[in-house]
Amino acid sequence: MRSFAGRDILSLKEFERNEFFHVFDVAAKMEPIARYRKNVDMLKEKTLVTAFYQPSTRTRLAHEAAMHRLGGHVTGFSDAKMTRAGDFYQESIKDTVKMLEFYGDVIVMRHFQQGAPHEAARWASVPIINGGDGWGEHPTQILTDLYTVLREKGRIDGLKWLAVGDMRMRTMHSLGYALSQFDCPVTFVSPPEMSLTEDFKAELKQYSVNFREVDHVEQAIADADVILVEPVVQPDYTKSRDERGKEVSLTPANYQITRDLLFNKAKSDAILLHSLPRMDEIPSDVDITKWSRYWQEAFNGVVMRMTLLAMVLGAME
Ligand code: CP
């Protein structure tokens, strides 16, 4: 297996099956640090640089919390408008990371342009972690989700997935690539204008992903072991920032996971994931049902970022 030390985490296309399981093994070792709210000194000589060109609550703060848990330091920006990349100069990715690499030992980047973290990785001498790039990918989120499935269900192979939302989303791309390494049939449900692109479908076929598309969650929920939901009412991820207008539409029933639907149609032991933030696709009265696992998923988001930081910085093999 390739070492993770010094490696960029840009895409789950690059991940092999044994690498997924290796990451999950390391995550299980790291988990007690977060669970018991400890701070250790594993990365005490390392600094994380956060380069967030788009808003984030979870991805940026989970990486920062992870670095603090491991005794490391954090610097960076969460509002590119206050940097030279966001003002008159429109400083390039290259010029920006040629600075950032001197300010820390690993960079986590979120950007509205697909491929921006890959461009950063071309020029940086330190590892780049993709925190979400336009419609591209969100690898650390899907690693978190798969780890959550493993912890909650005890296995990944053999589970049937239902993925609901906008199939142009970066999480859906990372999910598709990840599932190519497991025995997991997946059913996608999305509005027609947000369906799988022809290019992505061709890739899924090339990677032998067992997938189908249906119109309504009711057509697939009864078989699902893992229900992963993303919004269909959402901002444009190719913009640096998309303010909410006065009116936003409601999520149609086809793409909503309600308490009634779960009680009447879902498997008793299915689990429900959402990377958050949400609109109304999972109403809040679902939170206290036995199916919801999104708060565990959020906790695992810190564990997974601790794991990846420790591995790319060579503190865990
Ligand atoms: N799940 C996720 O990526 O959340 P943020 O946009 O808050 O980082």
Side-chain angles (χ1 to χ4, degrees):
M1 189 190 310
R2 293 174 295 168
S3 170
F4 277 85
R7 196 160 142 184
D8 303 308
I9 307 291
L10 299 174
S11 164
L12 293 188
K13 244 193 233 191
E14 301 159 1
F15 260 66
E16 296 169 9
R17 179 180 167 87
N18 62 349
E19 293 175 328
F20 280 103
F21 284 114
H22 181 57
V23 168
F24 302 150
D25 283 347
V26 175
K29 290 186 190 132
M30 306 289 280
E31 189 174 326
I33 299 169
R35 185 162 304 286
Y36 300 111
R37 297 180 176 278
K38 290 185 181 161
N39 287 350
V40 298
D41 62 4
M42 188 183 282
L43 296 182
K44 69 176 186 210
E45 293 181 352
K46 302 293 182 187
T47 298
L48 166 70
V49 181
T50 53
F52 275 64
Y53 294 77
Q54 260 189 329
S56 165
T57 298
R58 282 143 287 270
T59 308
R60 182 172 66 84
L61 293 173
H63 277 93
E64 293 192 1
M67 200 62 186
H68 288 303
R69 285 270 177 246
L70 299 179
H73 310 273
V74 177
T75 186
F77 59 85
S78 56
D79 181 357
K81 279 205 161 39
M82 299 308 290
T83 73
R84 294 306 197 181
D87 80 346
F88 177 87
Y89 289 96
Q90 301 277 304
E91 195 165 27
S92 68
I93 299 280
K94 176 184 176 182
D95 287 8
T96 302
V97 299
K98 292 301 274 178
M99 301 299 109
L100 300 186
E101 67 176 354
F102 300 126
Y103 307 154
D105 307 292
V106 56
I107 299 167
V108 57
M109 176 180 283
R110 170 169 287 188
H111 205 288
F112 48 91
Q113 280 171 9
Q114 187 167 340
H118 305 67
E119 169 71 2
R122 279 186 64 205
W123 303 108
S125 60
V126 299
I128 303 287
I129 297 176
N130 181 357
D133 61 317
W135 293 123
E137 279 205 62
H138 198 348
T140 68
Q141 180 62 54
I142 291 299
L143 284 167
T144 297
D145 297 351
L146 286 166
Y147 180 65
T148 304
V149 171
L150 187 60
R151 297 296 283 165
E152 297 294 323
K153 301 290 288 179
R155 67 192 170 113
I156 297 175
D157 286 317
L159 298 177
K160 291 187 175 143
W161 286 62
L162 167 60
V164 187
D166 184 340
M167 296 308 146
R168 301 166 304 171
M169 273 296 292
R170 49 201 181 200
T171 44
M172 295 301 179
H173 296 146
S174 290
L175 176 68
Y177 298 134
L179 291 186
S180 73
Q181 302 300 303
F182 300 97
D183 173 24
C184 291
V186 54
T187 301
F188 295 109
V189 185
S190 67
E193 69 279 14
M194 299 178 185
S195 62
L196 298 168
T197 64
E198 289 307 316
D199 284 350
F200 188 48
K201 273 201 262 194
E203 276 194 290
L204 294 178
K205 285 177 188 157
Q206 184 196 338
Y207 289 118
S208 302
V209 177
N210 179 354
F211 75 96
R212 65 176 181 140
E213 296 172 274
V214 301
D215 299 330
H216 199 300
V217 287
E218 284 190 357
Q219 293 167 263
I221 196 165
D223 285 334
D225 301 296
V226 180
I227 306 161
L228 182 144
V229 184
E230 293 285 345
V232 296
V233 179
Q234 62 174 359
D236 180 346
Y237 281 86
T238 64
K239 291 184 182 169
S240 60
R241 190 179 180 85
D242 197 359
E243 297 293 342
R244 185 163 165 170
K246 279 203 183 93
E247 298 289 327
V248 288
S249 54
L250 295 175
T251 300
N254 302 43
Y255 320 112
Q256 232 190 3
I257 304 295
T258 63
R259 205 178 161 96
D260 278 352
L261 186 68
L262 289 164
F263 275 110
N264 293 321
K265 292 247 165 96
K267 280 188 181 178
S268 176
D269 63 349
I271 62 170
L272 177 60
L273 304 178
H274 193 310
S275 67
L276 305 170
R278 65 178 155 183
M279 296 294 278
D280 62 337
E281 61 279 4
I282 298 182
S284 59
D285 65 359
V286 172
D287 296 357
I288 53 155
T289 68
K290 65 185 173 187
W291 291 275
S292 89
R293 293 295 193 288
Y294 25 93
W295 309 134
Q296 287 89 337
E297 190 183 354
F299 167 73
N300 288 331
V302 179
V303 175
M304 184 50 63
R305 275 62 179 235
M306 286 165 54
T307 303
L308 295 172
L309 289 169
M311 291 178 85
V312 302
L313 289 170
M316 291 291 277
E317 260 301 337

